[in-house]
Amino acid sequence: MRFPPPKAAGVLTAVGLALGLAAIPAPAYAAPITCDAKALVTAIDAANLAGGGTVDLAANCVYSLDAVEPAAGGNGPNGLPVITEAVTVNGANSVIERATAAGTPKFRFFEIGGARGELTLNRITLRNGDPTVLGTEDGGAILVNANRVLTVNNSVLTGNTAHEGGAIASLGGSSTRISGSEFTSNSAVAGGGGLFNLGGGIAILSTTMSETSTTVSETPVAETPTTVSETPVAETPATVSETPTTVSNNTTTASNNSTTVSNNTTTVSNDKADCTCTGTIRGTGAQAL
């Protein structure tokens, strides 16, 4: 199947740190694989062990993952082995998804870590990733650890969820480049419905982000009613010469006064990046690449 070239460079959004993207070395291992989720796991393991390589996915295949790979680094569960070398995954109308069957555990797809982890994705759809076992995990589809590298070309990330970075979370010192891709229907609880960048270098070219959302909510607060009461005061009669003046049995009472504030809710949704597309990008400490 032939794929069209990336969209015209007229659509351009770039934010990030002044760091050049590290050059990805030529792959050392090639692994054409069958349309089978276990074969995909095995191929990525083999590429890591070989010091890097290329994994070619079967055309028009849906790789439906339903299990978690052994955890590494305490960043939440992953459906595929952590990328520790320079690995390229090529698709041909190929999909990697988290299975929708009841009982499927939560996980993202890719975590880029190790001492030399670099990942390039070409013409792949990643959908339904969700690593939020504790509710604080970032990167619904991909987590780019500090000083690691991610490149996404002509791909689709859709329906992914995380605490921050509904589709991708890039941590400090990382380098992320996205070109000719589409982010849609991703969501985050705290920030970056489509993409969250924490001080890393990031460039986005010819990419559409739509229907991504970030929701920040506050728990309604109910205040306990406050009661102020005064003890009745009896004043001593006062007498003025020859003109009796009597003040007696006067009382002042304030009781059962209450102040209640409840059901206060603040919702911020559908945050959008300032680009020619719609969606959400959140970054902290970022500069242009």
Side-chain angles (χ1 to χ4, degrees), residues 9-253:
V11 180
L12 172 62
T13 302
V15 293
L17 193 65
L19 294 173
L21 292 173
I24 297 178
Y29 176 83
I33 60 173
T34 59
C35 186
D36 178 76
K38 292 182 179 179
L40 175 57
V41 171
T42 299
I44 292 176
D45 270 333
N48 280 329
L49 289 173
T54 298
V55 176
D56 293 322
L57 304 182
N60 305 308
C61 172
V62 176
Y63 293 87
S64 190
L65 308 179
D66 59 6
V68 174
E69 284 297 299
N75 295 316
N78 304 302
L80 294 169
V82 174
I83 302 298
T84 58
E85 302 290 341
V87 176
T88 296
V89 182
N90 294 321
N93 195 31
S94 310
V95 177
I96 301 175
E97 70 171 11
R98 178 174 152 269
T100 58
T104 300
K106 290 187 173 184
F107 52 80
R108 70 175 66 83
F109 305 108
F110 293 103
E111 178 180 347
I112 308 172
R116 298 179 298 275
E118 302 180 14
L119 175 64
T120 298
L121 299 177
N122 297 314
R123 300 182 177 90
I124 296 171
T125 294
L126 301 179
R127 70 188 181 201
N128 197 35
D130 181 358
T132 56
V133 173
L134 300 177
T136 58
E137 293 82 359
D138 299 334
I142 306 171
L143 174 64
V144 190
N145 281 307
N147 305 313
R148 303 280 62 84
V149 178
L150 170 67
T151 302
V152 178
N153 297 315
N154 303 301
S155 295
V156 177
L157 285 79
T158 183
N160 302 292
T161 303
H163 177 253
E164 291 184 308
I168 297 174
S170 300
L171 305 185
S174 62
S175 295
T176 297
R177 181 181 179 86
I178 303 166
S179 177
S181 297
E182 179 181 348
F183 288 55
T184 182
S185 300
N186 301 292
S187 62
V189 174
L195 174 64
F196 176 75
N197 180 47
L198 182 62
I202 185 163
I204 305 173
L205 300 93
S206 303
T207 292
T208 299
M209 292 193 179
S210 62
E211 298 180 8
T212 55
S213 64
T214 302
T215 300
V216 180
S217 60
E218 296 180 1
T219 303
V221 177
E223 296 185 1
T224 303
T226 301
T227 302
V228 179
S229 61
E230 295 181 2
T231 303
V233 177
E235 299 183 2
T236 303
T239 302
V240 179
S241 179
E242 296 184 358
T243 306
T245 299
T246 302
V247 180
S248 62
N249 297 319
N250 297 293
T251 61
T252 302
T253 303

